[in-house]
Amino acid sequence: MLPADARLDFDFKGGVTDKRLFPWDVWRRCVNQALRTQQRAGGGVAAYRDPGGEQELRLGVSRYLAFSRAVVCNWQDVVVTQGAQQALDLVGRVVIQPGDVVAVEEPGYPPARALFAALGAKLAHVPVDREGLIVDRLPKHARLVYVTPSHQFPLGMPMSLARRVELLEWAKRHGAVIVEDDYDGEFRFEGRPVESLKSLDRAGLVAYVGTFSKTLFPDLRMGYVVPPESLREPLWTAKRAGDWHSCMLTQTALGTFMLNGEFAKHLRRMHKAYAKRRAALIGLLTDELGDAFEPMPATAGIHLVAQLAPGWDEDDVMKAALDASIGVYGIGPFYAGERREQGVLIGYGGASVEAIEGGFRRLATLMPGLRR
Ligand SMILES: Cc1ncc(COP(=O)(O)O)c(C=O)c1O
């Protein structure tokens, strides 16, 4: 097996985006402008800023959410965070007491689980099916329910509208808070968009969490949360207590990038590129690798999960692929309990169409020999 940090000929890691297609010159201008703003701010006296974030960025986010997710909010409702992870942390801190039950999806997103556990929560791993979280299986006393409705992590299916409505009704009956992690729903390739939980929420139960880690890149560490009204003040206070506020320079540059229309332009460009990669990948998985893999139905996102047919083992495939300098990653680690599916997660955020063709053609030559 290769060491974990070795460079592979073809790597299909999840959580990776493509910096080669990012408009660096435009970004440089936004950063330069932000530097001038930072220099002038406070009339020569440097001071702390609003814990909720810079107005330009919050305005950019609120307009974007209204337009693309039907999430209607004022800019003051947006709290800028250090990625989605800090948004989850802030919501967890203000909602959960040690010993409270937090329901998470099974399989699910390990960093969210680790975070809620670190805050002292008791985790309830609630299974998902082809419609998303099985609401009937939620434990009665869950104080918080964490879900990824646009693109279930890791399996990929969107939560059906019926389940969304059911979840909202359940939360209302049980006095629970829902965290809607909309981490990569921007890239939707098929079907009609399903309303976000936040846009369906009439009872003030949903904290909507977004991130720039998939639309731009994860090392920017920029995200946000739109909490329900009742959590607005506590979240603002928690953000101030945690790190006072996020970096002014990055926020201001990103605000300009959004308000000037560059973010929307970039999303359109990336959508086109990712759509081609996804089509190439699904084509290869269904044709040349069709005996071994079946892509799980996902309408959005920049990764997909391909289920393995009976006769192949996830760990065997992963190991053989790695030995052939191809990175595909088993879904086993996303299960807290016994895994119900065998499959691999394939990220196409950082892989060109050529890399997808090269990598999966090479993998196709290995698969017959791996059949047990
Ligand atoms: C389910 C999920 N939520 C959120 C994120 C992004 O987290 P952050 O914004 O902290 O980078 C990811 C990234 O892989 C993810 O898979």
Side-chain angles (χ1 to χ4, degrees), residues 245-294:
H245 58 75
S246 296
C247 164
M248 178 193 176
L249 183 66
T250 316
Q251 288 191 68
T252 309
L254 188 49
T256 305
F257 191 73
M258 291 190 96
L259 295 176
N260 285 355
E262 296 296 343
F263 180 66
K265 224 189 272 175
H266 180 60
L267 282 188
R268 284 196 294 275
R269 187 170 38 238
M270 295 316 293
H271 190 282
K272 231 187 244 172
Y274 291 148
K276 283 191 190 141
R277 295 174 190 186
R278 179 175 180 271
L281 177 59
I282 292 177
L284 284 154
L285 288 172
T286 42
D287 298 341
E288 297 181 34
L289 285 147
D291 285 351
F293 288 108
E294 188 184 345

Side-chain angles (χ1 to χ4, degrees), residues 274-333:
Y274 291 148
K276 283 191 190 141
R277 295 174 190 186
R278 179 175 180 271
L281 177 59
I282 292 177
L284 284 154
L285 288 172
T286 42
D287 298 341
E288 297 181 34
L289 285 147
D291 285 351
F293 288 108
E294 188 184 345
M296 292 195 68
T299 54
I302 54 174
H303 77 258
L304 60 77
V305 165
Q307 254 176 305
L308 272 166
W312 278 279
D313 175 81
E314 178 182 311
D315 294 330
D316 291 351
V317 172
M318 216 166 63
K319 184 179 176 313
L322 217 47
D323 287 343
S325 204
I326 308 163
V328 290
Y329 301 90
I331 57 172

Side-chain angles (χ1 to χ4, degrees), residues 50-68:
D50 183 339
E54 294 300 315
Q55 183 174 346
E56 296 97 314
L57 178 55
R58 294 160 88 188
L59 195 57
V61 168
S62 62
R63 285 185 187 164
Y64 166 68
L65 290 181
F67 172 75
S68 72

Side-chain angles (χ1 to χ4, degrees), residues 83-85 109 146 148 153 181 183 211 213-214 221:
Q85 193 68 12
Y109 183 51
Y146 167 77
T148 50
F153 187 90
D181 180 354
Y183 65 105
T211 178
S213 288
K214 308 291 173 175
R221 302 313 301 134

Side-chain angles (χ1 to χ4, degrees), residues 14-16 81-88 105 108-112 146-148 151-154 181-184 209-214 217-219 221-224 303:
V16 172
T81 59
Q82 178 98 335
Q85 193 68 12
Q86 191 188 35
L88 302 181
E105 296 167 322
Y109 183 51
Y146 167 77
V147 282
T148 50
H151 185 225
Q152 200 276 331
F153 187 90
D181 180 354
D182 204 359
Y183 65 105
D184 70 357
V209 170
T211 178
F212 292 96
S213 288
K214 308 291 173 175
F217 28 89
D219 55 21
R221 302 313 301 134
M222 276 284 144
Y224 50 88
H303 77 258

Side-chain angles (χ1 to χ4, degrees), residues 22-322:
F22 186 68
W24 289 103
D25 288 338
V26 174
W27 180 245
R28 207 168 278 116
R29 283 199 292 278
C30 293
V31 173
N32 277 334
Q33 194 177 320
L35 264 175
R36 286 194 290 276
T37 306
Q38 187 166 37
Q39 187 179 6
R40 284 196 302 264
V45 178
Y48 291 103
R49 310 283 300 175
D50 183 339
E54 294 300 315
Q55 183 174 346
E56 296 97 314
L57 178 55
R58 294 160 88 188
L59 195 57
V61 168
S62 62
R63 285 185 187 164
Y64 166 68
L65 290 181
F67 172 75
S68 72
R69 323 300 280 161
V71 171
V72 179
C73 61
N74 296 317
W75 68 265
Q76 293 95 332
D77 297 325
V78 177
V79 176
V80 175
T81 59
Q82 178 98 335
Q85 193 68 12
Q86 191 188 35
L88 302 181
D89 185 41
L90 296 179
V91 178
R93 279 173 197 275
V94 301
V95 172
I96 307 167
Q97 301 288 335
D100 280 353
V101 175
V102 168
V104 294
E105 296 167 322
E106 169 75 343
Y109 183 51
R113 293 174 170 181
L115 173 72
F116 295 131
L119 293 176
K122 262 195 254 154
L123 297 185
H125 301 278
V126 180
V128 298
D129 63 13
R130 297 289 164 126
E131 289 190 61
L133 185 90
I134 305 176
V135 176
D136 276 349
R137 303 280 296 272
L138 279 168
K140 274 200 199 70
H141 305 298
R143 176 75 190 99
L144 187 150
V145 183
Y146 167 77
V147 282
T148 50
S150 290
H151 185 225
Q152 200 276 331
F153 187 90
L155 299 181
M157 62 285 185
M159 186 186 274
S160 68
L161 181 59
R163 282 284 168 80
R164 291 177 195 230
V165 171
E166 205 186 330
L167 176 59
L168 286 162
E169 283 168 358
W170 186 95
K172 191 172 168 194
R173 264 199 321 279
H174 294 84
V177 169
I178 299 170
V179 176
E180 174 173 29
D181 180 354
D182 204 359
Y183 65 105
D184 70 357
E186 284 83 2
F187 299 116
R188 197 176 43 76
F189 303 104
E190 289 171 25
R192 286 187 55 243
V194 184
E195 284 87 343
S196 61
L197 285 168
K198 183 75 178 167
S199 70
L200 296 168
D201 177 23
R202 302 283 169 268
L205 305 166
V206 177
Y208 177 93
V209 170
T211 178
F212 292 96
S213 288
K214 308 291 173 175
T215 49
L216 304 180
F217 28 89
D219 55 21
L220 202 61
R221 302 313 301 134
M222 276 284 144
Y224 50 88
V225 51
V226 182
E229 175 64 34
S230 61
L231 295 183
R232 207 170 106 180
E233 196 64 34
L235 269 186
W236 188 93
T237 308
K239 172 70 182 171
R240 185 177 59 181
D243 66 355
W244 211 297
H245 58 75
S246 296
C247 164
M248 178 193 176
L249 183 66
T250 316
Q251 288 191 68
T252 309
L254 188 49
T256 305
F257 191 73
M258 291 190 96
L259 295 176
N260 285 355
E262 296 296 343
F263 180 66
K265 224 189 272 175
H266 180 60
L267 282 188
R268 284 196 294 275
R269 187 170 38 238
M270 295 316 293
H271 190 282
K272 231 187 244 172
Y274 291 148
K276 283 191 190 141
R277 295 174 190 186
R278 179 175 180 271
L281 177 59
I282 292 177
L284 284 154
L285 288 172
T286 42
D287 298 341
E288 297 181 34
L289 285 147
D291 285 351
F293 288 108
E294 188 184 345
M296 292 195 68
T299 54
I302 54 174
H303 77 258
L304 60 77
V305 165
Q307 254 176 305
L308 272 166
W312 278 279
D313 175 81
E314 178 182 311
D315 294 330
D316 291 351
V317 172
M318 216 166 63
K319 184 179 176 313
L322 217 47

